[in-house]
Amino acid sequence: MPRVKFHESEEVTQTKAVLVGIDTAQGQSDEAEISLDELEELALTAGAVTVARVIQKRKSHDSATAIGEGKLAEIAEGFADADLIIFDCELSASQIRNIEKATDVRTIDRTMLILDIFAGRAVSKEGKLQVELAQLKYRLPRLSGLGTSLSRLGGGIGTRGPGETKLESDRRHIQRRIDKLSAELKELENRRSFSRSRRKKDGVQTAAIVGYTNAGKSTLLNALTGADALAEDKLFATLDLLSRKLRLPDGRNVLLIDTVGLIRRLPHHLVQAFKSTLEEAASADIILHVQDISDPEHLEKAEVTSRILAELGAGEIPVVNVLNKCDLVEEGGDSQDRATVRISAKTKQGFEKLAAAIAANLPNQYNINH
């Protein structure tokens, strides 16, 4: 039997979503539950309220429906009033078609949900181009399998971004659009690369603020520099780069750069689309790894961030671990050294120690007046 959790909600106007996870782990593991917790946060960010969670334990994903026809029938019977089914895995076009046919409920996967959130939150021209490119690359190989299901999607979560008429166009038209977007982004990437080179030439040192989504990166940037970056208690509150200057205790200035939040299983197409943005971290002089220590999963999330940074080639850059939201937890419990500081971006607790830690770990390779 699948593990099912029901959620009571007073909100009746939101999209009612059923979350479906598949646990293929051998033996005892909480990974499926943890991943579904994150999916529920993502769904809430997109505007959906979770009415039920289903986790099906299987040796492998079913090729036709991901969870098998029997369990799919149980979901169809038990949650007929749901508006949306969200699978915590990547589905093929034929799987989506089969699931929708069996349940008569619109179905999306984790990647489509994340792409939808990005589409709704991108503000800058570059951010919008990156999201549209990722969406088109994800959907292009699925067009033939989706068939008529595209036309019945209508509006709602998972449909923001490129219009459906674009997605129903022939592959050559979509490929031309992909090529055009890629060319525009390449030009913007070249400009960004030039800006990075110019900063190095002018002796400007940079500190990239990185971390798991919703760890408090934008709040920290605002509090340290008086910036006005969007800071919300939601995943991916900001996608666009924002940089501000910070003066350190030793007289040096450092340019703080806020970066897009990271997440477990960040869709490949998004990693590729935001590569030039994430490269700001790979080219920084120092990295501020912001972690929400009030989150029980903060150590696991820190590992995810560190792994992605290593994949981007930023593994050798000095790191200051910024343990944020210390006002929400008891003192102690985390070891501290010259590269680890407990702070609260909300109350500004620990800011003097943070500035000192940045100065102590920032390579002293440029003129102090810059």
Side-chain angles (χ1 to χ4, degrees):
M1 288 290 293
R3 304 200 295 276
V4 180
K5 290 184 181 179
F6 293 91
H7 289 239
E8 294 183 3
S9 174
E10 298 177 357
E11 179 59 72
V12 295
T13 58
Q14 286 182 296
T15 299
K16 293 181 291 184
V18 175
L19 310 185
V20 181
I22 302 172
D23 184 0
T24 58
Q26 302 300 313
Q28 294 296 319
S29 172
D30 294 331
E31 180 60 31
E33 287 282 2
I34 293 171
S35 187
L36 217 61
D37 288 343
E38 191 165 84
L39 187 70
E40 185 170 344
E41 285 190 71
L42 288 166
L44 182 63
T45 296
V49 58
T50 297
V51 295
R53 295 161 49 126
V54 178
I55 294 181
Q56 173 63 28
K57 194 165 183 65
R58 296 178 56 90
K59 290 184 178 180
S60 62
H61 292 197
D62 180 75
S63 60
T65 62
I67 59 170
E69 292 183 4
K71 299 308 177 187
L72 192 58
E74 291 180 19
I75 292 175
E77 182 179 351
F79 312 116
D81 61 340
D83 303 307
L84 184 67
I85 298 174
I86 309 175
F87 273 71
D88 193 28
C89 60
E90 195 165 291
L91 299 173
S92 68
S94 60
Q95 285 174 328
I96 292 175
R97 185 182 65 241
N98 293 336
I99 294 167
E100 289 186 340
K101 183 178 180 180
T103 62
D104 198 32
V105 178
R106 188 162 61 87
T107 300
I108 64 174
D109 62 20
R110 181 185 179 93
T111 298
M112 293 167 68
L113 177 63
I114 294 175
L115 287 170
D116 184 76
I117 294 171
F118 272 54
R121 291 184 171 271
V123 176
S124 70
K125 176 184 177 181
E126 183 175 14
K128 291 178 179 179
L129 291 176
Q130 287 169 326
V131 172
E132 184 180 356
L133 178 62
Q135 287 179 313
L136 290 174
K137 283 187 173 181
Y138 179 74
R139 293 179 179 179
L140 179 60
R142 290 167 168 76
L143 286 179
S144 58
L146 285 170
T148 58
S149 65
L150 281 173
S151 61
R152 63 187 284 261
L153 284 178
I157 297 170
T159 63
R160 277 189 286 251
E164 297 307 326
T165 53
K166 287 183 183 177
L167 299 177
E168 290 170 338
S169 300
D170 62 23
R171 291 177 179 275
R172 285 179 298 178
H173 173 79
I174 295 175
Q175 189 59 57
R176 284 196 297 269
R177 179 63 179 163
I178 288 175
D179 293 341
K180 184 175 186 297
L181 290 171
S182 298
E184 290 186 51
L185 283 169
K186 184 64 178 176
E187 183 178 342
L188 290 171
E189 183 180 341
N190 290 337
R191 291 182 193 173
R192 191 186 300 283
S193 179
F194 176 78
S195 296
R196 284 197 294 262
S197 299
R198 187 59 184 263
R199 288 201 300 262
K200 296 291 185 186
K201 183 179 180 181
D202 292 344
V204 178
Q205 290 185 282
T206 59
I209 304 175
V210 306
Y212 216 76
T213 182
N214 207 28
K217 298 184 301 300
S218 296
T219 301
L220 177 61
L221 179 71
N222 291 342
L224 281 173
T225 68
D228 56 356
L230 176 65
E232 293 183 297
D233 188 20
K234 288 186 176 180
L235 304 187
F236 303 118
T238 180
L239 297 179
D240 299 296
L241 285 177
L242 185 64
S243 58
R244 291 290 186 272
K245 185 185 294 185
L246 175 68
R247 191 162 186 84
L248 299 175
D250 61 7
R252 284 182 295 173
N253 289 324
V254 63
L255 190 67
L256 297 181
I257 301 176
D258 195 9
T259 62
V260 64
L262 304 175
I263 194 172
R264 278 184 184 86
R265 290 152 49 204
L266 189 65
H268 171 72
H269 293 306
L270 272 179
V271 173
Q272 289 300 109
F274 281 83
K275 189 175 180 182
S276 63
T277 304
L278 293 170
E279 280 176 352
E280 289 292 342
S283 65
D285 296 289
I286 193 170
I287 290 174
L288 307 185
H289 182 179
V290 181
Q291 304 166 42
D292 174 6
I293 58 171
S294 70
D295 184 346
E297 302 295 327
H298 83 90
L299 292 177
E300 290 80 0
K301 291 180 177 180
E303 289 181 7
V304 172
T305 301
S306 297
R307 185 172 64 249
I308 293 175
L309 287 173
E311 292 171 358
L312 290 169
E316 301 301 317
I317 298 174
V319 175
V320 172
N321 293 300
V322 184
L323 308 183
N324 190 27
K325 306 187 184 181
C326 72
D327 54 312
L328 301 180
V329 298
E330 294 181 3
E331 284 294 327
D334 291 283
S335 62
Q336 296 189 66
D337 51 45
R338 67 190 298 270
T340 303
V341 184
R342 291 169 64 97
I343 65 121
S344 168
K346 184 177 180 180
T347 67
K348 299 187 178 182
Q349 179 182 341
F351 273 22
E352 288 186 6
K353 292 182 178 179
L354 174 58
I358 296 173
N361 291 276
L362 185 67
N364 191 18
Q365 62 194 71
Y366 298 118
N367 190 297
I368 197 170
N369 295 320
H370 285 290

